[in-house]
Amino acid sequence: MLRRRAATKFDDAADWLFTDEALQQATTQAVAAHRARRLTGAVVHDATCSIGTELAALRNSTTTLVGSDVDPVRLAMARHNVADVDLCRADALRPITRSAVVLLDPARRRGGRRRFDPRDYTPGLDLLLEVYGGRDIVVKCAPGIDFDALTGLGFSGEVEVTSAAGGVREACLWSAGLATPGVTRRASMLDTGEEITDAEPDECAVAPVGRWIVDPDGAVVRAGLVRHYAARHGLWQLDPDIAYLSGDRVPSGVRGFEVLEELAYSERRLRQALSGRNVGAAEILVRGVDVDPDALRHRLRLRGTQSVSVVITRIGTGASSQARAFICRPSR
């Protein structure tokens, strides 16, 4: 059963051994391969190697590689899964290497429940940063980690948010010695191969909607790089506090929404507009407005034959704030 589930993360998991929790935590193959490319030529110690998924990606790119884990069952599975890598049993909070880059993937689940405070990871992120202070480290974290909390824990370096297969997969911490100079935040979009950082220009206008609406990749939004992305692609914001962008063209490889009609949002107006266009199916995207897309779709009672996308968002602040709906044709 676990091997079948693993097919969503790995190209070939037919001979691997897993535990349920280890598979849930395991890094998707594409993301692990991306991280391995950044560590090409390094000496690396995966101090929370678990069943060996990161080691499998690292073994062909690093100069020297060693893995360790405190769990004897996962370590035994790793010996089967990556038999060509040197492994030993060790606690990540008791370093066994001196000069290697240390890769850490603290568990973010306990008893089947997610842990959102990084101090509640296993081991806690605060303890890891203390134990490996002054070392080159790479730490895999949950994509929703609070960046301000990282500063409070004493982390200084680069936070890379990575997306793949249409979703945000993780936030990865790169210590100062491994970070690109001048970069503290990076969005890496593996589906398109694009990367953007906070070292790039972020000057972009706020203006009414143009021909297209662009919903930036989740990695861009999560990394706080919406304005940087807009500046790179010649787009503008519909509202300074909302992540939707607009422009006269769609960036290559990105799904956009061609605006057919704009209206002040209310369910009645939207239902009438969609009925007038003979719409029977609507994809609904929402930002900045308290609307449940699934519940709204049910209440609209669409009966037509056409399909559209509807973007609902808030424009403006305070007394001038208004919810707007855009009926669109998706680019794909």
Side-chain angles (χ1 to χ4, degrees):
M1 289 173 60
L2 294 177
R3 283 172 176 164
R4 287 198 295 270
R5 282 171 46 194
T8 63
K9 288 192 170 187
F10 310 107
D11 292 338
D12 184 9
D15 297 323
W16 275 57
L17 299 176
F18 300 96
T19 68
D20 182 60
E21 191 172 61
L23 178 56
Q24 291 182 49
Q25 188 181 355
T27 306
T28 301
Q29 187 172 7
V31 178
H34 169 72
R35 183 168 19 256
R37 286 190 291 272
R38 287 195 65 172
L39 290 169
T40 297
V43 176
V44 177
H45 170 208
D46 184 348
T48 51
C49 72
S50 186
I51 57 174
T53 53
E54 295 279 355
L55 295 173
L58 286 162
R59 58 187 169 187
N60 294 323
S61 61
T62 54
T63 302
T64 304
L65 180 63
V66 63
S68 63
D69 201 281
V70 73
D71 186 326
V73 174
R74 294 192 184 190
L75 197 60
M77 290 181 170
R79 288 196 174 99
H80 169 86
N81 296 339
V82 285
D84 55 341
V85 177
D86 290 329
L87 301 171
C88 64
R89 188 178 180 195
D91 186 336
L93 293 175
R94 297 185 177 182
I96 60 170
T97 57
R98 291 181 179 176
S99 58
V101 174
V102 181
L103 175 60
L104 299 157
D105 183 3
R108 293 171 293 283
R109 290 179 181 270
R110 191 182 305 160
R113 299 182 62 183
R114 291 185 183 275
R115 301 291 168 172
F116 297 100
D117 187 333
R119 293 169 295 187
D120 291 336
Y121 291 175
T122 307
L125 183 56
D126 54 338
L127 298 177
L128 291 174
L129 293 176
E130 180 181 348
V131 167
Y132 292 98
R135 295 279 299 272
D136 286 338
I137 62 172
V138 183
V139 189
K140 176 183 169 184
C141 297
I145 192 168
D146 186 339
F147 294 168
D148 291 336
L150 291 175
T151 303
L153 293 177
F155 173 76
S156 62
E158 175 189 316
V159 181
E160 178 184 24
V161 182
T162 303
S163 66
V168 180
R169 299 300 170 181
E170 66 175 38
C172 185
L173 312 184
W174 298 82
S175 61
L178 298 172
T180 302
V183 173
T184 62
R185 283 172 288 125
R186 179 190 304 269
S188 296
M189 295 153 275
L190 303 190
D191 292 344
T192 61
E194 184 176 13
E195 292 189 6
I196 190 163
T197 75
D198 60 349
E200 299 182 33
D202 67 347
E203 296 84 11
C204 78
V206 177
V209 71
R211 178 182 175 186
W212 294 93
I213 290 176
V214 175
D215 185 9
D217 188 280
V220 172
V221 177
R222 183 66 196 94
L225 300 174
V226 171
R227 291 178 58 84
H228 303 74
Y229 182 85
R232 174 186 284 188
H233 292 289
L235 305 172
W236 59 86
Q237 290 182 288
L238 297 177
D239 182 276
D241 298 317
I242 299 294
Y244 287 132
L245 301 174
S246 187
D248 298 322
R249 62 179 182 82
V250 178
S252 177
V254 174
R255 185 171 183 248
F257 303 91
E258 187 175 18
V259 178
L260 304 175
E261 183 178 348
E262 175 183 357
L263 60 147
Y265 171 71
S266 75
E267 285 192 27
R268 179 182 60 80
R269 290 193 191 97
L270 181 58
R271 185 183 300 110
Q272 291 174 343
L274 294 177
S275 176
R277 291 179 175 273
N278 193 31
V279 172
E283 171 191 26
I284 301 176
L285 299 88
V286 176
R287 277 211 176 104
V289 179
D290 186 16
V291 172
D292 181 330
D294 293 331
L296 173 61
R297 188 182 299 106
H298 177 74
R299 292 195 299 269
L300 289 173
R301 302 188 298 275
L302 302 175
R303 297 290 185 269
T305 61
Q306 302 301 307
S307 298
V308 298
S309 296
V310 178
V311 177
I312 303 173
T313 188
R314 176 188 54 73
I315 304 294
T317 58
S320 63
S321 177
Q322 185 182 40
R324 307 290 293 178
F326 303 89
I327 300 174
C328 305
R329 180 189 296 116
S331 60
R332 54 181 171 83

